């Protein structure tokens, strides 16, 4: 941090603040940064005493529930991002927190040991961390500064909070209104060098999700002034309606275009900004949705762009007045290259996965619902997309709904749509539900085990009658959908507990497709290669290799977060590569992976939600451990590069048996 030069009018007061700060132990070099010093000045004016415990906000549980309800959309979009961030810092003694615009903590996720210590200073959901109540802290300061802020240990104004190191960034909605802050806090003795960068990345992801959700009925232009920037966090987003009017631009787009404060009124029509006509660009996107287009701005600059169009926008464009853009029937520009994954492309050598893929291939197009089971992060939605893209409905829409991520009071209107004026806050023109958007294609209900019972009854009626009744009345609408569902829970147990309707269970459970967890798969190397090749965070177009030592660490780790966690780890590793580096080394991996022990991590791994089918066992299954000689064990271990779990599966023996054989005979 840079040194702060006192303003002449406040020289004595600032010097007093510095002396008080330096009297504390374990302070960062360089003194107080500008944002921290301004915060200390505010705390002094508020009359806060450094020795006090903070001023409680008297927030009740009911207040927290009301705040969570008011910020339901923010929670909905931030929840998954927070889990993503936590995977990067798991086991580092940290937690990820979401606060509203007043500083009230709405949600948190973190290491249990640190969560317990943090609760001693009220760093937990339901507590307010505004500056006026908690003194200088990252959440309170970033909400006032409206910029990312990092507060190290003794930089907290209240001495009781000096046990923390916190990094926070503000979250704004699509119109630039401050919604809250995303914070990563940890023990002040274990600061992480990239924490503020992770917080800023998390905020960028949340803001993108909110932008894409609010403008789901518009054409979304992702663009950057460099081709490798498209698809990354630095791309800009423009929302364009069916008349070709630019209706919104996110903060990154404004920066790339040189527009101040999201003031897009001056942009007007698409043609005012770009030399190419809107209809021409949309037609090109319809022919090749994955194409990267080079577009020329009116000022002569050039950008590279991709266009995404939702089924709802497509329907509006077809039904609109003659002046609107019309797409060729059946084309869906929202389908990117990764969305066109097929069952064949998912096969990377693991026998348990191939067993599941083969079973899915036999029922696609036969009006048999598929229930995908597997742990969180094991690739359930990817398998669902592959089933859709491999069947006769591949040219139709694929509509995914996460039943666990939508607030209960919104799921009905989200699924079934609503007529204009159906409830307070409803659009006057109404809205098409997700089920109707899937007409002619596939509806994928992720985490269906978390669907409320009342919605289960309505969904059952839709599946029986193949008609949707929007909320608030209106005529029933016939729908033609293929149904795919997924869950990490045991629906049979939920039926017995009265939490899932038995009649709906038999409607959705036609074929059960079980996905093996990553720690039980034998194709990790192939997966790593594919994820790197498909990554949007690659420094450039050069080939990226994985060092043998780093690969061994990846194979030794138990992957509690499955493929999603592996993807996150590789994304971070690629982001940490310097411009001259083309190889992922152990130091590019998170500490939890670097420190993984094959024995302890495997023992700590959770049991698979769905055991691999017997038919997927390797060829040596059925041989007794004593019948397998040492030479065979050595040969299999060499084949799997020392991966004990993979070797044990291939030999058809328990891992513990293999460990004992190694200890006794080798």
């Amino acid at each position: 941090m840079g040194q702060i030069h006192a303003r002449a009018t406040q020289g004595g007061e600032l010097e007093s603040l510095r002396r008080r700060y330096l009297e504390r132990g374990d302070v960062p070099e360089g003194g107080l940064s500008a944002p921290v010093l301004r915060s200390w000045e505010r705390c002094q004016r508020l009359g806060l005493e450094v020795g006090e415990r903070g001023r409680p906000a008297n927030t009740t549980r009911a207040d927290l529930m009301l705040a969570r309800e008011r910020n339901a959309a923010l929670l909905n979009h931030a929840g998954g991002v927070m889990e993503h961030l936590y995977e990067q810092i798991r086991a580092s003694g940290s937690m990820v927190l979401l606060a509203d615009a007043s500083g009230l903590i709405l949600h948190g996720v973190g290491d249990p040991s640190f969560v317990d210590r943090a609760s001693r200073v009220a760093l937990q959901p339901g507590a307010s961390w505004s500056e006026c109540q908690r003194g200088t802290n990252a959440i309170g300061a970033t909400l006032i500064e409206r910029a990312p802020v990092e507060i190290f240990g003794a930089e907290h104004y209240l001495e009781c909070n000096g046990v923390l190191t916190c990094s926070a960034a503000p979250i704004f909605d699509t119109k630039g209104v401050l919604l809250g802050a995303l914070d990563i806090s940890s023990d002040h003795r274990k600061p992480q060098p990239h924490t503020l960068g992770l917080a800023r990345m998390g905020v960028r992801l949340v803001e993108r999700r909110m932008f894409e959700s609010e403008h789901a009925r518009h054409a979304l232009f992702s663009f950057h002034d460099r081709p490798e920037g498209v698809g990354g966090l630095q791309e800009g987003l423009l929302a364009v309606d069916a008349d070709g009017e630019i209706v919104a631009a996110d903060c990154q787009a404004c920066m790339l275009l040189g527009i101040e404060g999201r003031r897009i009124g001056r942009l007007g029509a698409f043609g005012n900004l770009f030399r190419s006509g809107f209809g021409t660009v949309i037609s090109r996107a319809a022919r090749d949705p994955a194409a990267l287009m080079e577009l020329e701005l009116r000022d002569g600059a050039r950008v590279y762009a991709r266009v995404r169009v939702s089924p709802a926008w497509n329907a509006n464009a077809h039904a609109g007045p003659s002046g609107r853009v019309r797409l060729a029937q059946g084309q869906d520009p929202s389908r990117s290259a990764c969305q066109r994954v097929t069952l064949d492309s998912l096969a990377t050598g693991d026998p348990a996965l191939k067993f599941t893929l083969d079973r899915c291939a036999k029922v696609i197009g036969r009006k048999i619902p598929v229930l995908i089971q597997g742990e969180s992060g094991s690739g359930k939605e990817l398998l669902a997309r592959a089933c859709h893209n491999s069947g006769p409905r591949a040219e139709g829409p694929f509509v995914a709904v996460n039943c666990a991520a939508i607030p209960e009071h919104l799921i009905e209107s989200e699924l079934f749509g609503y007529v204009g004026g159906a409830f307070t806050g409803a659009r006057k023109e109404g809205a098409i539900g997700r089920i109707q958007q899937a007409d002619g294609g596939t509806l994928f209900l992720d985490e269906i085990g978390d669907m409320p019972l009342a919605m289960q009854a309505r969904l059952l009626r839709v599946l029986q009658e193949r008609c949707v009744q929007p909320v608030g009345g209106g005529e029933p609408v016939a729908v033609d959908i293929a149904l795919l569902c997924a869950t990490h829970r045991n629906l049979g147990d939920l039926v017995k507990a009265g939490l899932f309707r038995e009649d709906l269970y038999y409607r959705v459970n036609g074929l059960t497709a079980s996905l093996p967890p990553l720690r039980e798969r034998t194709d990790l190397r192939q997966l790593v290669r594919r994820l790197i090749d498909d990554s949007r965070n690659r420094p450039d177009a050069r080939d990226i290799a994985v060092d043998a030592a780093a690969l061994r660490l990846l194979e030794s780790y138990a992957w509690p977060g499955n493929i999603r966690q592996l993807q996150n780890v590789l994304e971070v590793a690629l982001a940490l590569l310097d411009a001259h580096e083309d190889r992922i080394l152990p130091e590019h991996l998170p500490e939890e992976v670097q420190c993984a022990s094959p024995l302890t991590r495997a023992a700590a791994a959770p049991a698979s939600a769905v055991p691999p089918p017997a038919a997927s066992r390797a060829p040596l299954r059925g041989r007794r451990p004593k019948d397998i000689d040492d030479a065979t064990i050595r040969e299999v271990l060499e084949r799997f590069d020392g991966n004990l779990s993979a070797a044990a599966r291939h030999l058809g023996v328990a891992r513990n048996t293999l460990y004992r054989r190694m200890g006794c005979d080798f």
Side-chain angles (χ1 to χ4, degrees):
M1 300 182 188
Q3 294 286 352
I4 304 305
H5 299 285
R7 294 187 295 272
T9 57
Q10 296 179 314
E13 182 180 350
L14 299 186
E15 188 59 36
S16 173
L17 289 175
R18 284 199 191 89
R19 283 199 303 270
R20 178 182 295 179
Y21 170 71
L22 293 173
E23 287 171 0
R24 301 184 183 182
D26 191 25
V27 298
E29 296 180 3
L32 295 172
S33 67
V36 177
L37 188 56
R38 288 193 293 268
S39 177
W40 277 42
E41 291 174 330
R42 292 190 293 267
C43 291
Q44 275 203 331
R45 291 195 295 269
L46 289 168
L48 286 169
E49 296 294 335
V50 295
E52 64 178 89
R53 301 287 300 180
R55 300 171 180 176
N58 298 319
T59 305
T60 65
R61 181 171 180 80
D63 293 331
L64 174 60
M65 296 303 293
L66 285 173
R68 288 175 62 89
E69 186 173 345
R70 284 195 304 269
N71 294 276
L74 175 61
L75 279 164
N76 181 30
H77 294 297
V81 173
M82 294 174 69
E83 294 288 346
H84 171 89
L85 292 181
Y86 176 54
E87 291 297 339
Q88 315 306 315
I89 60 173
R90 184 189 291 271
S92 65
S94 306
M95 65 188 303
V96 185
L97 298 158
L98 177 70
D100 68 9
S102 72
L104 181 70
I105 298 179
L106 302 172
H107 180 51
V109 57
D111 295 329
S113 59
F114 181 72
V115 170
D116 180 63
R117 292 198 301 275
S119 66
R120 299 173 194 173
V121 291
L123 188 63
Q124 59 190 8
S128 174
W129 276 72
S130 63
E131 264 191 12
C132 62
Q133 289 163 325
R134 302 287 173 183
T136 300
N137 70 88
I139 292 175
T142 201
L143 291 174
I144 293 176
E145 297 282 336
R146 299 172 70 89
V149 174
E150 200 160 30
I151 307 293
F152 293 96
E155 290 180 338
H156 289 84
Y157 190 80
L158 302 185
E159 291 177 343
C160 64
N161 296 332
V163 298
L164 304 171
T165 287
C166 309
S167 305
I171 304 172
F172 297 93
D173 71 6
T174 58
K175 297 178 177 63
V177 176
L178 181 65
L179 296 180
L182 190 66
D183 171 85
I184 302 176
S185 292
S186 61
D187 189 311
H188 75 292
R189 296 166 298 184
K190 302 177 181 178
Q192 304 295 317
H194 306 295
T195 305
L196 186 59
L198 284 175
R200 296 177 68 173
M201 179 184 75
V203 165
R204 176 67 179 142
L205 290 172
V206 172
E207 291 180 342
R208 280 171 56 117
R209 289 187 176 190
M210 290 191 298
F211 188 96
E212 290 170 349
S213 175
E214 180 169 338
H215 298 288
R217 298 175 184 277
H218 298 132
L220 292 178
F221 280 73
S222 306
F223 71 95
H224 198 272
D225 53 12
R226 298 191 311 275
E228 64 270 19
V230 181
L233 291 178
Q234 302 307 311
E235 70 178 6
L237 292 176
L238 289 176
V240 186
D241 67 15
D243 291 316
E245 291 291 320
I246 300 175
V247 296
D250 74 348
C251 59
Q252 195 66 23
C254 291
M255 187 188 74
L256 290 169
L257 296 172
I259 304 171
E260 296 182 3
R262 302 176 191 248
R263 296 171 60 188
I264 62 166
R266 69 184 69 175
L267 296 181
F270 182 85
N272 292 345
L273 183 63
F274 297 98
R275 292 189 181 276
S276 300
F278 181 56
T280 301
V281 173
I282 290 294
S283 297
R284 288 171 60 189
R287 291 193 298 271
D288 187 359
L292 187 64
M293 293 179 280
E294 184 178 1
L295 301 177
E296 185 178 358
L297 298 172
R298 285 292 178 183
D299 62 5
R302 293 182 178 274
V303 297
Y304 300 86
R306 284 196 180 95
V307 186
R308 287 171 288 165
V309 179
S310 71
W313 187 92
N314 197 2
N316 289 339
H318 277 93
S322 59
R324 289 189 172 186
V325 177
R326 299 179 181 273
L327 300 182
Q329 187 68 31
Q331 295 293 335
D332 182 6
S334 65
R335 298 179 62 214
S336 65
C338 68
Q339 290 174 316
R340 293 198 301 274
V341 64
T342 64
L343 292 172
D344 288 340
S345 68
L346 285 184
T348 48
D350 181 77
L353 178 62
K354 186 176 187 305
F355 177 85
T356 295
L357 298 177
D358 289 345
R359 285 165 62 86
C360 289
K362 292 178 180 179
V363 302
I364 291 174
R366 296 176 179 264
K367 297 185 178 180
I368 298 175
V370 176
L371 177 63
I372 304 171
Q373 290 194 296
E375 295 179 6
S376 296
S378 57
K380 297 188 289 294
E381 181 172 349
L382 196 63
L383 176 58
R385 287 187 181 277
C387 289
H388 169 77
N389 295 332
S390 301
R393 295 173 178 263
E395 294 304 319
F398 176 88
V399 178
V401 181
N402 189 327
C403 300
I406 304 174
E408 186 170 342
H409 66 286
L410 295 178
I411 192 170
E412 183 176 26
S413 58
E414 183 79 10
L415 280 176
F416 304 103
Y418 58 86
V419 298
F423 51 85
T424 302
R427 295 181 179 181
K428 63 180 180 180
E429 69 273 18
I432 298 174
R434 306 304 295 276
I435 296 177
Q436 191 176 344
Q437 289 177 15
D439 184 39
T442 301
L443 176 67
F444 172 55
L445 298 178
D446 197 6
E447 301 301 353
I448 192 173
D450 294 284
M451 179 179 284
L453 278 168
M455 292 305 99
Q456 293 178 26
R458 287 207 61 183
L459 176 62
L460 179 65
R461 191 175 306 116
V462 170
L463 297 180
Q464 290 172 336
E465 301 174 2
R466 297 290 164 169
C467 285
V468 173
Q469 180 83 38
V471 176
E475 292 296 323
V477 180
V479 290
D480 172 26
I481 58 172
L483 182 66
L484 296 171
C485 300
T487 181
H488 71 282
R489 309 176 70 177
N490 188 313
L491 292 188
D493 290 344
L494 294 181
V495 170
K496 294 176 184 177
L499 299 175
F500 199 86
R501 293 179 62 103
E502 185 174 15
D503 44 8
L504 180 60
Y505 173 68
Y506 292 117
R507 279 279 182 179
V508 302
N509 188 20
L511 170 73
T512 298
S514 302
L515 280 175
L518 180 56
R519 62 184 170 277
E520 294 182 6
R521 290 176 56 167
T522 59
D523 57 347
L524 185 135
R525 294 195 173 200
Q526 295 92 320
L527 269 176
V528 167
R529 184 69 264 158
R530 173 171 293 181
L531 291 173
I532 290 176
D533 290 341
D534 293 342
S535 172
R536 292 182 170 186
N537 274 349
R538 297 180 65 180
D540 50 38
R542 68 182 186 271
D543 291 333
I544 304 297
V546 182
D547 181 75
L551 196 56
R552 285 193 294 270
L553 288 172
L554 294 174
E555 291 181 321
S556 298
Y557 189 61
W559 300 109
N562 285 295
I563 297 174
R564 184 186 298 124
Q565 184 186 10
L566 172 62
Q567 185 174 25
N568 293 342
V569 166
L570 293 174
E571 291 283 356
V572 172
L574 289 169
L576 293 178
L577 288 178
D578 291 331
H580 64 280
E581 293 180 310
D582 60 1
R583 182 176 293 269
I584 294 176
L585 302 174
E587 54 262 37
H588 295 125
L589 303 177
E591 289 185 6
E592 60 180 302
V593 177
Q594 293 184 40
C595 301
S597 162
L599 301 182
T600 57
R601 297 305 294 182
S608 172
V610 184
S616 69
R617 291 282 188 178
L620 297 180
R621 182 180 181 271
R623 295 178 60 175
R624 294 174 298 176
K626 66 180 182 180
D627 294 335
I628 305 173
D629 58 30
D630 295 347
T632 300
I633 293 177
R634 289 192 182 94
E635 178 186 347
V636 173
L637 281 172
E638 183 176 350
R639 181 190 306 179
F640 291 102
D641 295 321
N643 187 322
L644 299 177
S645 298
R649 284 196 302 275
H650 183 83
L651 292 167
V653 301
R655 284 175 294 193
N656 289 340
T657 300
L658 186 57
Y659 299 152
R660 286 196 298 271
R661 286 290 301 272
M662 290 177 63
C664 294
D665 302 328
F666 285 23

